[in-house]
Each structure stands twice: as C-alpha cells, then as structure tokens.
Amino acid sequence: MSPRPLEPLARRLMKGVVIVELLGVFGAYFLFHRMNNSQEFRSSMNSRFPSVLEVYYQSNEWAGIYGIREQDQEAWAAKRD
C-alpha cells in the first residue's frame, strides 16, 4: 500500500485543523476586544460565563493592568442600589 492515496486526505485534514485554529484565535481576540471595551458586556459575561470573565481579569493582571475588576464591581454595586 503506497502513501499516495492518503496524501490528499492528510492535506484536507491539515487545512481543516489550520482553519479551526485560526477561527479559535480570531474568536478569542474578538471576545477579548469586546470585553476590553464594554463594561456592559463584561456584566453580561459575569452573569452567563463567570469563569471566562475571571480569565479576562487574570490575563490583564498578568499584563500589569490592575483595577478593572474593582471598577466593574463598584459600577455593578452602584447599579444594584
């Protein structure tokens, strides 16, 4: 059995993997960009997916950007009152 018949299948699979990875990277960038620019979106993420919001806060803290979590908590507490 020669490897020739499997070659087109392998290329298709590699293209599929690359496309899925690119979609994942662009999706993560879009989500980060949206959370970075909208406190209201972070509020909805807090109610729907708190673990994703926690990763956003931690990534900013690792990058040396502090205070976003506290600002959000203060704003959301003010809205509740």
Side-chain angles (χ1 to χ4, degrees), residues 11-26:
R11 284 180 190 234
R12 277 187 173 169
L13 286 175
M14 263 322 269
K15 285 181 183 178
V17 167
V18 168
I19 289 171
V20 168
E21 286 183 3
L22 285 174
L23 287 174
V25 167
F26 286 122

Side-chain angles (χ1 to χ4, degrees), residues 27-46 49-57 59-60 68 72 76:
Y29 174 76
F30 174 76
L31 184 64
F32 177 82
H33 183 67
R34 186 101 187 259
M35 283 195 288
N36 204 33
N37 292 327
S38 173
Q39 190 175 50
E40 185 177 322
F41 184 70
R42 288 194 300 268
S43 176
S44 68
M45 290 299 289
N46 187 40
F49 305 106
S51 60
V52 173
L53 186 63
E54 183 63 27
V55 169
Y56 167 76
Y57 288 142
S59 67
N60 277 322
I68 297 174
D72 287 347
W76 298 336

